[in-house]
Amino acid sequence: MIAQGDSIRGHVEISPTAIARVASQAVLRSYGVVGMAAPNLASDIAASLTRDPTRGVEVRIEDEKLIIDLYVIIEYGTRISTVAQSLIDAVRYDVEKIVNIPVEQVNIHVQGLRVSHTDS
């Protein structure tokens, strides 16, 4: 499915991949996120081999509204609910601002925790 919009200047079609890339950039700029993960092992291997920039982001368009699923790895020691809410806000803001399509849902799937540094 492709998101569509009409304006005075013409007709615009936006692919889910483009929307996923915008969402991915918003996620990777957010505090507490160590990385992105694929929803399952097979997708994870394929995304690793192809270096997919939209790894860990799934976009669906239903009734001209976006539903975005994010699969993330969170920094160990951060409050997961706070990081998740921050991700929801950042992704919703960036996507709605850039794509100008309402985001109905942003679902966060925490696929793991990772320690980025150790105290020696």
Side-chain angles (χ1 to χ4, degrees):
M1 274 188 142
I2 295 179
Q4 300 181 13
D6 289 310
S7 69
I8 297 170
R9 296 184 181 146
H11 183 75
V12 178
E13 293 183 355
I14 304 168
S15 74
T17 304
I19 296 167
R21 185 166 265 186
V22 171
S24 178
Q25 292 300 312
V27 168
L28 294 175
R29 284 193 315 266
S30 297
Y31 173 78
V33 177
V34 177
M36 305 291 289
N40 57 49
L41 183 59
S43 296
D44 197 32
I45 292 170
S48 295
L49 293 174
T50 61
R51 299 187 187 268
D52 183 9
T54 61
R55 173 185 186 181
V57 181
E58 291 182 350
V59 176
R60 294 185 316 254
I61 302 166
E62 296 178 4
D63 299 324
E64 297 184 21
K65 293 183 182 175
L66 297 173
I67 299 172
I68 302 172
D69 289 303
L70 304 170
Y71 298 86
V72 297
I73 300 170
I74 303 290
E75 171 74 31
Y76 178 80
T78 58
R79 176 163 278 188
I80 294 172
S81 61
T82 303
V83 172
Q85 188 59 53
S86 175
L87 287 173
I88 291 167
D89 295 340
V91 168
R92 177 173 276 133
Y93 176 79
D94 281 4
V95 170
E96 287 180 351
K97 178 182 167 193
I98 293 170
V99 179
N100 200 28
I101 297 172
V103 176
E104 180 73 19
Q105 292 178 17
V106 178
N107 303 309
I108 309 297
H109 305 272
V110 178
Q111 298 293 82
L113 301 173
R114 187 174 300 154
V115 177
S116 291
H117 64 286
T118 58
D119 296 328
S120 300

